[in-house]
Amino acid sequence: VTTPLLDRKLVFVTGKGGVGKTTVAAALALLASQQGRRTLVGEVDAKGNLADFYEVPPTSFQAREVAPNLFAMSMHTEESLKEYLRLQLKVPFVARMGPLARTFDFVAQAAPGVKEVLIIGKFLWEVRERHYDLVVVDGAATGHAVALLAAPQGIRDLVKVGLVREQTGWMLDILGDPAQTGAVIVASPEEMPVNETIELAGRITAETNVNLACVIVNRVLPELFGRGEEEVFDRICQPANAERLAAAAGGPTTAVLDGAHLAVTLRRTRAGHLARLRGGLVEGTELLYVPELFTRHHGVRATQLVADALSQELGY
Amino acid sequence: MARRSAPVTIEQLLAAKEIVIHCGSGGVGKTTTAAAAAAEAAIHLGGKVLVLTVDPAKRLANALGLEAFGNVETQVPEAAFKAAGVAPRGQLWAAMLDTKQSWDDLIRRHAPDPATRDAILRNPLYQSLMGRFVQSHDYIAMERLYDIHSSGRYDLIVVDTPPTRNAIDFLEAPAHMADFFSSRFLRWLTVPARSRVLNFASKPFYTVADRILGSQFLEDIAEFFLLFQSMHDGFVDRARAVTHVLSDRRTTFVVVSTLESAPVREAEFFIRELDRRDLHLGAVVLNKVLPEFLRDRPSTAVANRLCHDGPKLAAALKGVGDAKQVARVLKEVGESFINFQVVAEREAEARAELAASPEVIATVPYFDADIFDLAGLIRLGDRLWR
């Protein structure tokens, strides 16, 4: 029996750039908070635009309540390191450790996995300390996401002794428990995002111990015509009929009919990619669908629309 | 200020430059746009044109004949052009960037002796660093570009950039790599391996670092960097040369974007950064743009009537089908138009914001099917070219 997505403690959202990864992360967190869960949403990319999705001032390392039950933050590795040294390793004099932090930043660049462990470790720590019911991570794009999720194991393999190694144990316990942690890949029904999603799903399973909770397909176009209706549409488009329609409607019909053609072909192309996605994922992988939003809205109202769609898909 | 020139066509731009770097956020069609531009250049301008791509979709790779060759530069066969119904004046070559392979080649070139070379290539830190260190992709892409350009084998090289979150990262990669190897911290880090006697300045660092990371790990790192230090001068000189090529007058940048809000913001950011760095912005390409007819005002009124007067209009269409079904279809058609109009209006606003930059703006429409062969690529390229 799999744990429902929002009943987990850590939901790590990833996906190719441009598919709506942050939108989905923001909406999942909003939905959870509206269901009464004390929720933290954190973006890995400090230069990200998570705040725009709630229409609040830019996020920082210190989590801030942006809506009832909903707290938002953005990652900052140096801040994370300082907090880690202060709270977990009990290294004193943090205030005077500017140069040390810089040095560590360098080690983090040089030694693979150190920077990643500081990032994922911060979120895992929030889970362990039970500060929130749910932590949603707006994770990095595809390649870096695997590096983040695999970091604790990678560090464990590279570092044989020391405090950092000791810390990886509890991290792996949380990451590897499907009742607590789930990865979510956001995709859009287009060629490259589908390719990357299939590849990423395989890599998450092969290279990390994290459970792939589901794939969320964003921007799914609605089916325009039902059974037999496309034939009717084709007949309407015949020049003589189109002219009759134009006369009855009192205006030009070319653009409107061309627009419907475009909608049908776009939908058909995307349906092909969707089918490829379904075929390329391990059987049993759950797929959720978020429709294309034809809306003027940006910001929190658009986020709410996606949250509503997800709520339905999750069966609430 | 970026060096701006009088507006030209993409054709004139490609004719005047030797390196054209496509950049923009992920998912906007950088790779396809770069490939299409290169194909057009080979067709119309002649000479040897190379498209250096990072992560092509399988079908695009197939279209370019890259499937079997990967990292090796390969000529797109004449037969492929013939099948597409064109006779190119020049040659189109294509190569894919294999990060690991390119790094290994680089090590082989810079290692002072075979023993060091083998020690580095075998070092687990090296393997994991090149595989996971995100910036290593950025650096190697620019490095490979430099290498190919300085070989003089091509008249024009069209590149697409790695899919980084911040499209600007790859611009900084060469300088970053040079800093990395010149760093004071690197010298610090390699101290324990060279001498067991720590100096006063570095002792507190090692005390804490040792507690946190363990001394074995620190020694592993130190050994790795000692090996790398032997290539220091070669690497730093090279990184400088790579940086230099980016700002050369023969190099230009093409910013690719869709008209969705996030990519547009990133495109604006990128244009500002090019400006700040005095790099040449050649063109802005707007990809997957919805057709203009969706914004036609008189059609909006018609669409509204289709939504609300379905039964009445269906009566005027006797013989087309069951009246109820016809009314339903008309309603769907009307609603769909209104929906797509919302998106088209949003795109028009985004376009107006981007239009503030005076460079060539080329618009590529939403194609109804994916590009899977050279003919499709050329069809897209033709839209760019005009």
Side-chain angles (χ1 to χ4, degrees), chain A residues 18 219 292, chain B residues 27 257-265 288 346-347 350:
Chain A
R219 310 188 51 191
E292 170 87 53
Chain B
S257 181
T258 62
L259 286 172
E260 288 168 85
S261 63
V264 164
R265 258 202 312 273
K288 302 188 201 174
R346 229 163 45 193
E347 288 194 349

Side-chain angles (χ1 to χ4, degrees), chain A residues 256 294 296, chain B residues 294 299-305 307-308 331-344:
Chain A
V256 180
F294 295 105
R296 235 175 261 289
Chain B
L294 290 171
S299 298
T300 314
V302 171
N304 275 320
R305 287 210 62 190
C307 293
H308 301 115
K331 185 166 184 282
E332 293 285 359
V333 169
E335 280 175 357
S336 175
F337 186 82
I338 305 280
N339 278 341
F340 276 93
Q341 187 165 67
V342 171
V343 182

Side-chain angles (χ1 to χ4, degrees), chain A residues 43-47 60-62 73-85 94 100-109 113-123 144 148:
Chain A
E43 58 185 336
V44 165
D45 180 2
K47 293 178 198 153
S60 65
F61 187 72
Q62 290 304 322
M73 64 161 288
S74 51
M75 183 44 67
H76 190 288
T77 33
E78 197 173 311
E79 292 293 326
S80 177
L81 174 66
K82 282 185 187 164
E83 187 181 88
Y84 171 73
L85 292 173
V94 175
L100 180 68
R102 248 189 301 132
T103 310
F104 264 98
D105 194 52
F106 180 78
V107 174
Q109 296 241 16
V114 172
K115 201 164 198 162
E116 283 77 10
V117 109
L118 283 172
I119 294 171
I120 197 74
K122 158 73 178 171
F123 295 117
H144 197 215
L148 283 176

Side-chain angles (χ1 to χ4, degrees), chain A residues 49 191 219 235 273 295, chain B residues 59 260 265 320 346 370:
Chain A
N49 60 337
E191 177 160 39
R219 310 188 51 191
R235 284 199 290 277
H273 291 306
T295 170
Chain B
R59 277 190 275 198
E260 288 168 85
R265 258 202 312 273
V320 168
R346 229 163 45 193
D370 298 299

Side-chain angles (χ1 to χ4, degrees), chain B residues 37 45 47 59 87 112 233 253 311 330:
Chain B
L45 300 176
R59 277 190 275 198
D233 293 348
F253 290 81
L330 291 177

